[in-house]
Amino acid sequence: MANAGDAEDAKDTGDANQPPAGANWNTGGVQVVGSTVHGPVAGGQGATVRIGADAAAAGPVGPEALRAAAETLRTALARLRAERPDAVTDADAEDADAALAGILAETALDEPREGPLRRRVGTVVDALRTVAVLAAAVSGLEAAFAALSGQL
């Protein structure tokens, strides 16, 4: 049964740029209902987070993004092997490191080739996908390659 307050909440505010009183109006982006999110949230290709009037700076795009992701992952892999040698098998670590070196060499070319990059990224993903502490870096490498492959 509706009460008098419901009728009041349903009234239009008269301002076309504002939702009606009591309404939940999403003009786009991410909407979370029934939980709390602390910090910025963005979703979808090319999404950015805007806090106040400032948009988050876009990261590098193209070969330099893939190169940066490969360098980050190679450094993380070396550190992990030094701190916890049993975290990654020697064969997987050697395969991943060789593929990462190949990615760095290919992205240094004036015109990197998609085929060799795809194979090397695949090798890294296969070798390191189960290493939880490297999962974010592996995902970053995959995302950087996906963005680049549309440009090649």
Side-chain angles (χ1 to χ4, degrees), residues 34-49:
S35 65
T36 303
V37 175
H38 297 280
V41 177
Q45 184 174 2
T48 60
V49 173

Side-chain angles (χ1 to χ4, degrees), residues 40 48-57:
T48 60
V49 173
R50 193 172 85 197
I51 300 172
D54 299 327

Side-chain angles (χ1 to χ4, degrees), residues 2 19 74 83 126 144 148:
R74 198 170 192 206
E83 293 173 3
D126 287 345
L148 175 62

